[in-house]
Amino acid sequence: MCRGDGVPCRDFEPSARSTNAVLIYMHGGGWCINSEKSGLWQTVISQLVRRLGCRAVSVGYRRAPEHPFPAAIHDVCSVARELGADGSPLILAGDSAKKR
């Protein structure tokens, strides 16, 4: 599924939702490797969704070197603006996604 300006995303939905909050997950890889499609984070995101009772969106941000920093941040912000437009609380999470 694509969100905010066509940014590819992967959605995760809990079996029982207890909040309208949305977790936005930024996969690791230093903004230059891996993707939202990787199975590396599926278990972590699924556990967060189950424990928090909220849905999650893993963002397939553009990666360097083809898309230099801050392109990835712009993609995450675009998705966050769209998901938070209805007033839903947003939770930002991720791992090892930092400028190198």
Side-chain angles (χ1 to χ4, degrees):
M1 172 175 285
C2 291
R3 300 200 180 278
D5 296 331
V7 177
C9 294
R10 186 168 179 193
D11 291 347
F12 294 81
E13 191 71 42
S15 56
R17 192 184 290 191
S18 60
T19 177
N20 65 338
V22 180
L23 178 114
I24 298 173
Y25 195 86
M26 295 158 279
H27 65 80
W31 303 117
C32 60
I33 59 174
N34 298 317
S35 79
E36 82 288 357
K37 297 176 187 170
S38 172
L40 295 172
W41 295 277
Q42 183 172 345
T43 301
V44 171
I45 299 169
S46 295
Q47 288 177 3
L48 286 168
V49 164
R50 183 175 44 81
R51 290 179 183 181
L52 296 172
C54 68
R55 65 185 262 231
V57 174
S58 180
V59 181
Y61 53 77
R62 291 173 290 165
R63 299 176 308 254
E66 293 84 2
H67 304 281
F69 185 85
I73 299 296
H74 291 168
D75 291 348
V76 172
C77 288
S78 176
V79 170
R81 276 191 299 275
E82 180 182 322
L83 293 173
D86 66 356
S88 295
L90 301 178
I91 303 166
L92 299 178
D95 61 284
S96 185
K98 63 182 180 181
K99 183 178 177 188
R100 293 193 180 227

